Amino acid sequence: MPATLADYRSLFLNAVPMMDVRAPVEFAQGAFPGVVNRPLMDDGERQQVGTCYKQRGQQAAIALGHELVSGDTKRSRIAAWAAFAQAHPEGVLYCFRGGLRSQIVQQWLQSEAGIAYPRVEGGYKAMRGFLLQTTQAAAAQCDFYVLSGLTGSGKTEVLAALAGGLDLEGHANHRGSSFGARATPQPAQIDFENRLAVDILRQRAGGQHRFVVEDEGRHVGTCSVPLELRLRLEQVPLVCLTDSFEARVERILNDYVLQQAADFVAVHGAEQGAERFAARLLESLARLAKRLGGAQYQRLQGVMQEALAEQRDSGRVDGHRAWIAVLMRQYYDPMYAYQRQSRAERVVFEGERAAVLDYLRERLAAR
């Protein structure tokens, strides 16, 4: 295997294991799906070296780095890198620009552990640039459909059943509405963009050149849809999914109450999970207080609190249907109707689940 690799496309298409040797603070700002952080320097050491570089130049900074990462610290980090390399002999390592840090890790692995391990030319910066170009190219070259529909109509389920579905909510770890925050945090913006780009890359490599994206607007929770893609999606055909009001209420109940409560319990334990779920639901309603008006918000808050108390005491969730139905009739459905009217000329099809799936599958498979 060569000492350096620069075929970024193959790295992502083949899900090659990657060891990121940047400092933890850099890794937290943005990384690639499935990558493991095994830093050369921790955050404090990196800061000291960076300050030294600014004040005294590169050679002094390098000398300080070797002083800070020495002895037991050095042996411990080499052991961690060696363990990764032995577990993933087909993998690679990288730093920010593919320069000194990854070269040092590569050299120490060879000299201290006897392991020849390739590094990525250009490092994180080059791979990040490749993924940005991937999304930009898809926005310019591919055909898209936007799947729209009233809240609770099952758009995410339809998307999952389609080849060519791009699940923005899945990549953003958010259900896309005021109540969409999950029990686990959303990814950093860069992580969201990287996940989406890798998805696009793999689908296009498999021959997909038409995609369906759920109607999300500019943001999915705290994650922003990449600009080039968002601008394209504002121009493409709309397909509208319909379902009965009763079915939509049940779907919202399942997704935002039953499943959400179970997720919080799975993450935080029974007692704390139930408390956090209840607090999150009430916080989500509070975000709509101004739009609902004070009196309506107070009424719905009371209904929700009663439903949460019943759920806590008996496990029954019937009481939640009342606030769900009111929010749908008085807030979400009117908002959708307004948006639908403003984009009526873009609607190319409307129907229930089976009809929409047939329509989109036919178009996605077209030559």
Tab-separated table of all heavy atoms in Angstrom, residues 172-210:
chain	number	residue	atom	x	y	z
A	172	ALA	N	-29.700	14.934	9.868
A	172	ALA	CA	-29.675	16.015	10.863
A	172	ALA	C	-30.105	15.547	12.245
A	172	ALA	O	-30.070	16.337	13.198
A	172	ALA	CB	-30.583	17.161	10.410
A	173	ASN	N	-30.531	14.292	12.371
A	173	ASN	CA	-31.017	13.753	13.646
A	173	ASN	C	-32.097	14.655	14.252
A	173	ASN	O	-32.046	15.047	15.412
A	173	ASN	CB	-29.877	13.564	14.646
A	173	ASN	CG	-30.265	12.704	15.833
A	173	ASN	OD1	-31.036	11.749	15.696
A	173	ASN	ND2	-29.766	13.026	17.007
A	174	HIS	N	-33.087	14.971	13.418
A	174	HIS	CA	-34.161	15.879	13.829
A	174	HIS	C	-35.362	15.598	12.941
A	174	HIS	O	-35.213	15.327	11.750
A	174	HIS	CB	-33.704	17.333	13.660
A	174	HIS	CG	-34.564	18.339	14.359
A	174	HIS	ND1	-35.762	18.764	13.837
A	174	HIS	CD2	-34.382	19.016	15.512
A	174	HIS	CE1	-36.286	19.664	14.657
A	174	HIS	NE2	-35.474	19.824	15.690
A	175	ARG	N	-36.566	15.682	13.522
A	175	ARG	CA	-37.766	15.376	12.745
A	175	ARG	C	-38.303	16.571	11.958
A	175	ARG	O	-39.302	16.476	11.276
A	175	ARG	CB	-38.857	14.813	13.663
A	175	ARG	CG	-38.561	13.408	14.172
A	175	ARG	CD	-39.779	12.791	14.840
A	175	ARG	NE	-39.560	11.387	15.162
A	175	ARG	CZ	-39.123	10.938	16.326
A	175	ARG	NH1	-38.803	11.796	17.288
A	175	ARG	NH2	-38.972	9.649	16.534
A	176	GLY	N	-37.653	17.711	12.088
A	176	GLY	CA	-37.953	18.797	11.173
A	176	GLY	C	-39.036	19.771	11.566
A	176	GLY	O	-39.317	20.697	10.824
A	177	SER	N	-39.662	19.633	12.710
A	177	SER	CA	-40.689	20.584	13.136
A	177	SER	C	-40.294	21.168	14.483
A	177	SER	O	-39.233	20.855	15.032
A	177	SER	CB	-42.046	19.890	13.255
A	177	SER	OG	-42.084	19.062	14.404
A	178	SER	N	-41.165	22.008	15.033
A	178	SER	CA	-40.904	22.570	16.358
A	178	SER	C	-40.780	21.479	17.414
A	178	SER	O	-40.141	21.671	18.447
A	178	SER	CB	-42.024	23.536	16.747
A	178	SER	OG	-42.112	24.598	15.825
A	179	PHE	N	-41.396	20.334	17.160
A	179	PHE	CA	-41.369	19.209	18.095
A	179	PHE	C	-40.356	18.139	17.667
A	179	PHE	O	-40.351	17.044	18.204
A	179	PHE	CB	-42.757	18.566	18.183
A	179	PHE	CG	-43.771	19.423	18.886
A	179	PHE	CD1	-44.421	20.442	18.208
A	179	PHE	CD2	-44.080	19.220	20.225
A	179	PHE	CE1	-45.358	21.248	18.857
A	179	PHE	CE2	-45.010	20.009	20.876
A	179	PHE	CZ	-45.645	21.031	20.190
A	180	GLY	N	-39.489	18.482	16.713
A	180	GLY	CA	-38.669	17.461	16.075
A	180	GLY	C	-37.376	17.098	16.745
A	180	GLY	O	-36.693	16.163	16.302
A	181	ALA	N	-36.968	17.812	17.805
A	181	ALA	CA	-35.700	17.504	18.466
A	181	ALA	C	-35.745	16.103	19.076
A	181	ALA	O	-36.725	15.711	19.711
A	181	ALA	CB	-35.403	18.542	19.542
A	182	ARG	N	-34.680	15.351	18.895
A	182	ARG	CA	-34.615	13.978	19.400
A	182	ARG	C	-33.927	13.911	20.765
A	182	ARG	O	-33.449	14.919	21.284
A	182	ARG	CB	-33.886	13.099	18.386
A	182	ARG	CG	-34.632	12.959	17.060
A	182	ARG	CD	-33.894	12.043	16.116
A	182	ARG	NE	-34.601	11.878	14.854
A	182	ARG	CZ	-35.518	10.933	14.619
A	182	ARG	NH1	-35.830	10.076	15.581
A	182	ARG	NH2	-36.108	10.840	13.446
A	183	ALA	N	-33.861	12.712	21.308
A	183	ALA	CA	-33.261	12.527	22.633
A	183	ALA	C	-31.752	12.708	22.601
A	183	ALA	O	-31.143	13.006	23.622
A	183	ALA	CB	-33.612	11.137	23.172
A	184	THR	N	-31.149	12.511	21.431
A	184	THR	CA	-29.717	12.700	21.271
A	184	THR	C	-29.453	13.977	20.485
A	184	THR	O	-30.309	14.404	19.696
A	184	THR	CB	-29.093	11.494	20.552
A	184	THR	OG1	-29.837	11.231	19.353
A	184	THR	CG2	-29.117	10.263	21.440
A	185	PRO	N	-28.295	14.605	20.654
A	185	PRO	CA	-28.044	15.905	20.022
A	185	PRO	C	-27.967	15.826	18.502
A	185	PRO	O	-27.687	14.774	17.927
A	185	PRO	CB	-26.688	16.328	20.608
A	185	PRO	CG	-26.455	15.453	21.789
A	185	PRO	CD	-27.187	14.182	21.524
A	186	GLN	N	-28.186	16.964	17.874
A	186	GLN	CA	-27.961	17.063	16.438
A	186	GLN	C	-26.460	17.116	16.155
A	186	GLN	O	-25.675	17.538	17.000
A	186	GLN	CB	-28.623	18.328	15.889
A	186	GLN	CG	-30.130	18.237	15.808
A	186	GLN	CD	-30.717	19.332	14.935
A	186	GLN	OE1	-31.301	20.287	15.443
A	186	GLN	NE2	-30.560	19.203	13.627
A	187	PRO	N	-26.069	16.708	14.953
A	187	PRO	CA	-24.656	16.820	14.594
A	187	PRO	C	-24.263	18.273	14.366
A	187	PRO	O	-25.124	19.142	14.164
A	187	PRO	CB	-24.572	16.026	13.283
A	187	PRO	CG	-25.949	16.161	12.694
A	187	PRO	CD	-26.884	16.140	13.868
A	188	ALA	N	-22.971	18.548	14.386
A	188	ALA	CA	-22.483	19.858	13.971
A	188	ALA	C	-22.870	20.088	12.510
A	188	ALA	O	-23.083	19.130	11.749
A	188	ALA	CB	-20.971	19.921	14.132
A	189	GLN	N	-22.971	21.330	12.110
A	189	GLN	CA	-23.356	21.661	10.738
A	189	GLN	C	-22.469	20.957	9.719
A	189	GLN	O	-22.954	20.387	8.725
A	189	GLN	CB	-23.291	23.175	10.524
A	189	GLN	CG	-23.551	23.633	9.099
A	189	GLN	CD	-24.975	23.386	8.634
A	189	GLN	OE1	-25.895	23.317	9.449
A	189	GLN	NE2	-25.166	23.256	7.327
A	190	ILE	N	-21.169	20.971	9.961
A	190	ILE	CA	-20.238	20.332	9.024
A	190	ILE	C	-20.473	18.830	8.967
A	190	ILE	O	-20.437	18.219	7.890
A	190	ILE	CB	-18.787	20.651	9.419
A	190	ILE	CG1	-18.503	22.146	9.190
A	190	ILE	CG2	-17.798	19.798	8.634
A	190	ILE	CD1	-17.140	22.590	9.685
A	191	ASP	N	-20.735	18.207	10.110
A	191	ASP	CA	-21.019	16.765	10.127
A	191	ASP	C	-22.271	16.458	9.304
A	191	ASP	O	-22.312	15.473	8.560
A	191	ASP	CB	-21.222	16.280	11.560
A	191	ASP	CG	-19.927	16.209	12.347
A	191	ASP	OD1	-18.862	16.416	11.753
A	191	ASP	OD2	-19.984	15.960	13.565
A	192	PHE	N	-23.296	17.286	9.455
A	192	PHE	CA	-24.536	17.113	8.684
A	192	PHE	C	-24.238	17.184	7.190
A	192	PHE	O	-24.683	16.338	6.406
A	192	PHE	CB	-25.535	18.188	9.097
A	192	PHE	CG	-26.706	18.352	8.162
A	192	PHE	CD1	-27.649	17.342	8.025
A	192	PHE	CD2	-26.867	19.517	7.421
A	192	PHE	CE1	-28.734	17.489	7.163
A	192	PHE	CE2	-27.941	19.675	6.567
A	192	PHE	CZ	-28.880	18.658	6.436
A	193	GLU	N	-23.495	18.180	6.772
A	193	GLU	CA	-23.168	18.342	5.361
A	193	GLU	C	-22.347	17.174	4.849
A	193	GLU	O	-22.558	16.692	3.726
A	193	GLU	CB	-22.405	19.647	5.160
A	193	GLU	CG	-23.229	20.893	5.439
A	193	GLU	CD	-22.400	22.168	5.449
A	193	GLU	OE1	-21.162	22.075	5.258
A	193	GLU	OE2	-22.974	23.244	5.663
A	194	ASN	N	-21.414	16.691	5.666
A	194	ASN	CA	-20.584	15.563	5.250
A	194	ASN	C	-21.404	14.291	5.105
A	194	ASN	O	-21.227	13.514	4.154
A	194	ASN	CB	-19.454	15.344	6.251
A	194	ASN	CG	-18.385	16.423	6.192
A	194	ASN	OD1	-18.313	17.191	5.235
A	194	ASN	ND2	-17.555	16.492	7.219
A	195	ARG	N	-22.305	14.031	6.046
A	195	ARG	CA	-23.159	12.835	5.970
A	195	ARG	C	-24.012	12.864	4.708
A	195	ARG	O	-24.160	11.852	4.011
A	195	ARG	CB	-24.064	12.761	7.200
A	195	ARG	CG	-23.348	12.520	8.513
A	195	ARG	CD	-24.343	12.564	9.676
A	195	ARG	NE	-23.682	12.508	10.983
A	195	ARG	CZ	-24.315	12.522	12.134
A	195	ARG	NH1	-25.641	12.598	12.167
A	195	ARG	NH2	-23.647	12.467	13.280
A	196	LEU	N	-24.599	14.024	4.437
A	196	LEU	CA	-25.440	14.167	3.250
A	196	LEU	C	-24.622	13.943	1.985
A	196	LEU	O	-25.063	13.235	1.060
A	196	LEU	CB	-26.079	15.555	3.244
A	196	LEU	CG	-26.881	15.933	2.000
A	196	LEU	CD1	-28.052	14.981	1.800
A	196	LEU	CD2	-27.377	17.381	2.108
A	197	ALA	N	-23.430	14.526	1.924
A	197	ALA	CA	-22.593	14.391	0.735
A	197	ALA	C	-22.184	12.946	0.492
A	197	ALA	O	-22.174	12.478	-0.656
A	197	ALA	CB	-21.359	15.280	0.873
A	198	VAL	N	-21.829	12.226	1.540
A	198	VAL	CA	-21.447	10.822	1.386
A	198	VAL	C	-22.638	10.006	0.881
A	198	VAL	O	-22.490	9.128	0.021
A	198	VAL	CB	-20.907	10.253	2.719
A	198	VAL	CG1	-20.735	8.738	2.630
A	198	VAL	CG2	-19.582	10.918	3.085
A	199	ASP	N	-23.826	10.291	1.382
A	199	ASP	CA	-25.047	9.627	0.911
A	199	ASP	C	-25.236	9.879	-0.583
A	199	ASP	O	-25.486	8.948	-1.376
A	199	ASP	CB	-26.235	10.155	1.714
A	199	ASP	CG	-27.534	9.414	1.420
A	199	ASP	OD1	-27.522	8.435	0.635
A	199	ASP	OD2	-28.580	9.812	1.961
A	200	ILE	N	-25.123	11.141	-1.000
A	200	ILE	CA	-25.271	11.485	-2.411
A	200	ILE	C	-24.215	10.775	-3.252
A	200	ILE	O	-24.515	10.203	-4.313
A	200	ILE	CB	-25.171	13.013	-2.600
A	200	ILE	CG1	-26.382	13.715	-1.980
A	200	ILE	CG2	-25.047	13.378	-4.082
A	200	ILE	CD1	-26.265	15.222	-1.918
A	201	LEU	N	-22.973	10.813	-2.801
A	201	LEU	CA	-21.877	10.184	-3.529
A	201	LEU	C	-22.147	8.703	-3.767
A	201	LEU	O	-21.988	8.193	-4.889
A	201	LEU	CB	-20.580	10.359	-2.740
A	201	LEU	CG	-19.317	9.737	-3.359
A	201	LEU	CD1	-18.895	10.517	-4.589
A	201	LEU	CD2	-18.190	9.709	-2.326
A	202	ARG	N	-22.562	8.000	-2.717
A	202	ARG	CA	-22.783	6.558	-2.841
A	202	ARG	C	-23.979	6.246	-3.728
A	202	ARG	O	-23.947	5.288	-4.517
A	202	ARG	CB	-22.950	5.945	-1.446
A	202	ARG	CG	-21.643	5.959	-0.656
A	202	ARG	CD	-21.812	5.494	0.775
A	202	ARG	NE	-20.514	5.504	1.470
A	202	ARG	CZ	-20.354	5.367	2.772
A	202	ARG	NH1	-21.420	5.203	3.552
A	202	ARG	NH2	-19.154	5.394	3.316
A	203	GLN	N	-25.038	7.046	-3.629
A	203	GLN	CA	-26.196	6.795	-4.481
A	203	GLN	C	-25.872	7.064	-5.952
A	203	GLN	O	-26.274	6.306	-6.838
A	203	GLN	CB	-27.385	7.636	-4.023
A	203	GLN	CG	-27.952	7.235	-2.680
A	203	GLN	CD	-29.428	7.549	-2.558
A	203	GLN	OE1	-30.215	7.273	-3.457
A	203	GLN	NE2	-29.812	8.123	-1.431
A	204	ARG	N	-25.132	8.140	-6.212
A	204	ARG	CA	-24.772	8.440	-7.598
A	204	ARG	C	-23.841	7.366	-8.158
A	204	ARG	O	-23.938	6.997	-9.339
A	204	ARG	CB	-24.111	9.817	-7.700
A	204	ARG	CG	-25.051	10.969	-7.413
A	204	ARG	CD	-24.476	12.297	-7.893
A	204	ARG	NE	-24.523	12.405	-9.343
A	204	ARG	CZ	-24.054	13.426	-10.040
A	204	ARG	NH1	-23.457	14.440	-9.409
A	204	ARG	NH2	-24.142	13.459	-11.357
A	205	ALA	N	-22.946	6.862	-7.319
A	205	ALA	CA	-22.047	5.789	-7.763
A	205	ALA	C	-22.832	4.536	-8.117
A	205	ALA	O	-22.405	3.741	-8.969
A	205	ALA	CB	-21.020	5.486	-6.679
A	206	GLY	N	-23.990	4.359	-7.473
A	206	GLY	CA	-24.849	3.220	-7.768
A	206	GLY	C	-25.773	3.445	-8.942
A	206	GLY	O	-26.634	2.606	-9.229
A	207	GLY	N	-25.632	4.570	-9.609
A	207	GLY	CA	-26.420	4.847	-10.805
A	207	GLY	C	-27.619	5.751	-10.597
A	207	GLY	O	-28.367	6.019	-11.541
A	208	GLN	N	-27.816	6.232	-9.386
A	208	GLN	CA	-28.960	7.095	-9.112
A	208	GLN	C	-28.671	8.526	-9.574
A	208	GLN	O	-27.647	9.111	-9.196
A	208	GLN	CB	-29.265	7.101	-7.610
A	208	GLN	CG	-30.625	7.645	-7.246
A	208	GLN	CD	-31.747	6.729	-7.716
A	208	GLN	OE1	-31.676	5.507	-7.554
A	208	GLN	NE2	-32.766	7.309	-8.311
A	209	HIS	N	-29.562	9.076	-10.387
A	209	HIS	CA	-29.371	10.459	-10.826
A	209	HIS	C	-30.630	11.300	-10.635
A	209	HIS	O	-30.686	12.449	-11.045
A	209	HIS	CB	-28.934	10.508	-12.293
A	209	HIS	CG	-29.920	9.885	-13.247
A	209	HIS	ND1	-30.010	8.517	-13.424
A	209	HIS	CD2	-30.841	10.441	-14.061
A	209	HIS	CE1	-30.964	8.260	-14.309
A	209	HIS	NE2	-31.482	9.406	-14.713
A	210	ARG	N	-31.635	10.700	-9.979
A	210	ARG	CA	-32.837	11.441	-9.596
A	210	ARG	C	-33.077	11.196	-8.110
A	210	ARG	O	-32.967	10.063	-7.644
A	210	ARG	CB	-34.053	11.002	-10.416
A	210	ARG	CG	-33.965	11.376	-11.886
A	210	ARG	CD	-35.284	11.104	-12.608
A	210	ARG	NE	-35.236	11.606	-13.958
A	210	ARG	CZ	-34.860	10.904	-15.022
A	210	ARG	NH1	-34.513	9.637	-14.860
A	210	ARG	NH2	-34.835	11.438	-16.221
